[in-house]
Amino acid sequence: MQCSSSRRWAVRPLSHPNRVNKILLLLFRPQRLSFSSSSSSSSRTNIILKSQSESETHINTIIMEDEVSKQKQKQATSRSMEFLSSKPYVPPQWASHLNPIPSHIFSLAHLPTPIHKWNLPNLPNNTEVWLKRDDLSGMQLSGNKVRKLEFLMAEAVAQGADCVVTIGGIQSNHCRATAVAAKYLHLDCFLILRTSKVLVDKDPGLTGNLLVERLVGAHVHLISKEEYAKLGSVTLTNLLKEKLLNEGRRPYVIPVGGSNSLGTWGYIEAIREIEQQLQIGTSQIKFDDIVVACGSGGTIAGLSLGSWLSTLKSKVHAFSVCDDPDYFYDFVQGLLDGLEAGVDSHDIVKIQNAKGLGYAINTPEELKFVKEVASATGVVLDPVYSGKAAYGMIKDMTEHPKKWEGRKILFIHTGGLLGLFDKIEEMNSLVGNWSRMDVHEDIPRKDGIGKMF
């Protein structure tokens, strides 16, 4: 016989996934249950109670999802309203033993940056690559450097600085980000930019990062690569600092790439951000590996230390684009010691050489790879950092597929898009894809019909 009085609350898919509609559907869409004549009254009651319990569970899940969504929206709104403001810094619980802990942080980046699956072709079997889009951390401030600058600029302002001094290559993303951040905070910016000896006495032009730096009024000082090699960045920034002090200024010096122990906190924070994204996301994914470019060392120090201390526990792979791995193991160790981390750099990060012909110099194969990735996935890599790191990662996967099979990898896109503008001549032969549109003479024409918006 059938039990006509028993009802089960059923969830059915809706074309529009509105949570309120889902709950109403749970409450008001009964579905008849059938019982055999041999079913006992007790078993029928148990089924009904189970159905009610499942319904309550579904409703609670929907409510929890709604609360998580509201929390995310609230955090995003709160962060946007705090842009360019300073606030006391509270570290992740798992990093609270590090010393010193920054006192304040400036909100400069648009965070959190997205994470999405990256459908790179020709990956090893069952290997997934996901992308952390730190290239979307802003426009003028895009890239990984802004995370470090949130802490460095907070200290500069706290110390009463009226200007900042930093140093880098002629197309330094860090110098561009520093120049913009400084102007946001009403500070002057003095840049020492490394260039070739044949160009050191000439106007550096307006290509790529230089255009932004000069638009925001940065004071550009050029030094030849040869002089830079003999003097070093510390001596050069100190010389400019002394000059400014003698002029009555209050300069704050930021090292190459913002990479010191204070700047390292930028990517310790990034690990907390990734943790939170995974906790509130729907993918239920756990990353086995994190892959990133290494140019000055601060980013990999923060990522590797944060991953090691946190619940993430992903293996960090760094592809160096300038100095050799041994140099970076030593440099990162210095940053870790500066935080009293009590860990050996060799134990928390694997550094591989990906510099190729040298810093900011590309082989045709590397540039072709950047073009192919853009064509296949829509993701544009810069040729100096993430382009070389991704090229090195794919090369390693090709040579050692078993090492990567079945692993879930998070690649950190560190930005640097403006650096592509310095490669226009080298990239020109790779793009093509243009022609004049042919419109047959029989197609009717009328003057003024096409509006030139």
Side-chain angles (χ1 to χ4, degrees), residues 26 51-64:
L26 280 165
S51 299
Q52 292 173 341
S53 176
E54 289 175 351
S55 172
E56 291 173 1
T57 300
H58 286 310
I59 292 173
N60 287 336
T61 300
I62 293 168
I63 292 171
M64 287 175 64

Side-chain angles (χ1 to χ4, degrees), residues 296-312:
S296 58
T299 296
I300 68 167
L303 282 173
S304 55
L305 179 58
S307 183
W308 182 72
L309 291 175
S310 71
T311 60
L312 215 57

Side-chain angles (χ1 to χ4, degrees), residues 374-430:
S375 296
T377 71
V379 174
V380 179
L381 300 170
D382 81 293
V384 179
Y385 295 97
S386 291
K388 284 194 173 185
Y391 180 79
M393 177 184 73
I394 294 298
K395 183 179 178 182
D396 196 62
M397 287 179 173
T398 303
E399 294 174 354
H400 309 100
K402 294 292 183 184
K403 169 183 170 184
W404 298 93
E405 279 185 1
R407 298 185 74 82
K408 291 180 173 59
I409 301 149
L410 180 64
F411 186 94
I412 312 292
H413 190 332
T414 54
L417 177 63
L418 289 171
L420 268 174
F421 290 89
D422 198 40
K423 303 287 182 179
I424 290 175
E425 291 185 11
E426 297 168 74
M427 298 288 292
N428 193 47
S429 63
L430 299 174

